[in-house]
Amino acid sequence: MQPTPAQPPRAAHDREIESLAEFDEVVAEHGSLARFRVQAVDLTDRTDVLLRLDTTGAVFLGCPMTPEAATRVGAAGALVFPPIPGLPFDPYRAFAYTPDELFESLEAGYEATPDARAYAWFQRTRADGDVFASMLRAVHDDAVSDALDELLAGTRVVGVMGGHAMARGTDAYAGAARLGRALTRAGFTVATGGGPGAMEAANLGAYAAPFTDGMLDDALRLLAKAPSFRPSVTDWARAAFEVRERWPGGGASVGIPTWFYGHEPPNAFAAHIAKYFANATREDGLLARSTAGVVFLPGAAGTVQEIFDNATPNYYESRGEPTPMVLVDSGHWTRELPAWPLLRSLARDRAMESRIALVDRIEQAPEAIKRLGG
């Protein structure tokens, strides 16, 4: 008689429990929590389960539970990382943020929102040398990366890069919005740096994708009454939520902003916001996850940096086959900030040479992305 083959180990993400419903499902199916990872789930009403099930090798990350339950699972071989009181964010969070979550209490002014309070905490702790604060930032950012990987698994992501200074009500802003709409309608997931300007415009376009073309025109007119997040983030954000309330249920996209540049607020049109404390982690993660290519709109130093941050792994093929890079506005990228000649020189006689393009008009970018990606 042949021995029964051992069951293959569960994939790491399959061992993560990220909601109370998922917790109950795992308990019912397996009758054990051994070697599972329970992430930011309130277990105060599951004491009876925690007292009787095997928790050997389990890890509980920021899960509220009764003292009795915490003592028991710890004694039974689990690691318990307790919730941290007094923080304006959850370092163990299991999912990306939503606009409603980051802008909660906006009616009292932007300063009252979780986004603003997290930035204020970062400002207080970033230079004080406290290893505990830096550890909390690192744990938070790793949790956000994990959530982002799960969210984007199997999707075709196109990054849209551009300057934060692009104002609502301008032709450039409307063009970036039409770009986001076209990419979303073509089946791509739009990902941006999650902030204002060109980033917001592309996320807005993705939000507008399910609606008629007239909706975007109307939304652009509404937003133009608050052209910039300066001088009032509150007025700027309220205009965005007015659009969302008038046209609920828009298309999904991703924003990946950072509290490192916390004076630039996140925009409210990205359905999923993966906000980081560490800008380097955010920048590299945004480009690495843009697996179907990146469109670079006219920008300044930050966008130039992103061009060559993306070009380097394409040059060395360190992430595998090079991904498409489309630069928009030949005048900007050949005369004002001549990144294109350098990019073309780098690409010469390498695999990435067939994956770069310079287009004159933003309307040409979606087709270029599709053509370069094969």
Side-chain angles (χ1 to χ4, degrees):
M1 182 176 179
Q2 294 294 323
T4 302
Q7 292 296 311
R10 295 169 66 92
H13 282 159
D14 291 341
R15 291 188 285 110
E16 293 179 7
I17 298 173
E18 298 169 333
S19 69
L20 194 58
E22 193 175 0
F23 178 88
D24 292 338
E25 181 182 331
V26 167
V27 169
E29 180 180 352
H30 298 279
S32 171
L33 293 169
R35 288 172 293 281
F36 278 87
R37 280 77 174 101
V38 191
Q39 191 173 352
V41 179
D42 190 339
L43 299 176
T44 52
D45 291 333
R46 296 297 185 271
T47 298
D48 57 333
V49 175
L50 296 172
L51 291 179
R52 63 181 172 81
L53 291 190
D54 181 11
T55 57
T56 305
V59 179
F60 295 87
L61 297 166
C63 298
M65 62 180 75
T66 64
E68 180 185 15
T71 299
R72 191 270 169 187
V73 299
L79 283 176
V80 179
F81 293 80
I84 310 297
L87 289 178
F89 62 93
D90 181 358
Y92 307 111
R93 63 177 303 109
F95 304 102
Y97 293 96
T98 66
D100 289 334
E101 183 180 3
L102 286 177
F103 285 101
E104 184 182 1
S105 303
L106 182 64
E107 65 277 2
Y110 173 69
E111 294 73 17
T113 66
D115 184 67
R117 290 189 289 111
Y119 178 51
W121 176 88
F122 181 46
Q123 290 289 87
R124 290 195 304 271
T125 63
R126 62 188 296 184
D128 64 7
D130 184 354
V131 67
F132 183 57
S134 62
M135 182 198 74
L136 291 175
R137 294 194 295 267
V139 169
H140 169 274
D141 286 1
D142 188 67
V144 167
S145 290
D146 183 69
L148 195 55
D149 287 339
E150 294 174 12
L151 174 70
L152 297 178
T155 62
R156 296 186 301 158
V157 179
V158 172
V160 178
M161 311 297 165
H164 69 272
M166 184 184 290
R168 295 167 172 174
T170 63
D171 290 342
Y173 185 95
R178 289 192 293 270
L179 170 65
R181 184 177 65 184
L183 290 169
T184 302
R185 288 178 173 176
F188 297 108
T189 296
V190 170
T192 78
M199 298 171 280
E200 180 189 55
N203 288 128
L204 166 65
Y207 188 88
F211 302 100
T212 64
D213 290 356
M215 172 269 175
L216 181 56
D217 295 334
D218 291 341
L220 290 169
R221 281 191 289 271
L222 279 174
L223 292 171
K225 67 184 182 182
S228 172
F229 63 95
R230 296 187 178 99
S232 173
V233 175
T234 302
D235 291 345
W236 176 83
R238 283 174 176 165
F241 278 97
E242 182 180 346
V243 170
R244 286 167 47 94
E245 289 162 10
R246 185 170 298 195
W247 293 280
S253 64
V254 176
I256 307 180
T258 174
W259 280 295
F260 185 83
Y261 298 128
H263 59 285
E264 297 178 13
N267 76 74
F269 293 111
H272 310 285
I273 303 175
K275 191 154 191 178
Y276 288 86
F277 288 105
N279 184 54
T281 304
R282 167 252 192 174
E283 288 274 11
D284 184 69
L286 172 55
L287 293 168
R289 291 176 176 88
S290 296
T291 52
V294 183
V295 177
F296 297 92
L297 301 178
T303 310
V304 172
Q305 176 183 338
E306 288 161 348
I307 289 172
F308 293 103
D309 280 347
N310 196 50
T312 300
N314 280 346
Y315 180 89
Y316 290 111
E317 299 184 52
S318 55
R319 294 181 185 141
E321 188 176 343
T323 53
M325 299 178 64
V326 177
L327 278 61
V328 176
D329 189 336
S330 57
H332 184 83
W333 293 121
T334 61
R335 293 189 297 274
E336 294 180 41
L337 294 173
W340 172 251
L342 178 54
L343 179 63
R344 188 172 56 179
S345 296
L346 279 172
R348 188 175 297 122
D349 298 327
R350 304 188 75 89
M352 68 180 287
E353 187 173 20
S354 63
R355 298 297 179 92
I356 64 172
L358 175 67
V359 299
D360 291 317
R361 295 180 293 107
I362 201 167
E363 293 81 6
Q364 299 170 303
E367 184 58 38
I369 281 285
K370 288 187 282 186
R371 172 172 50 83
L372 296 178

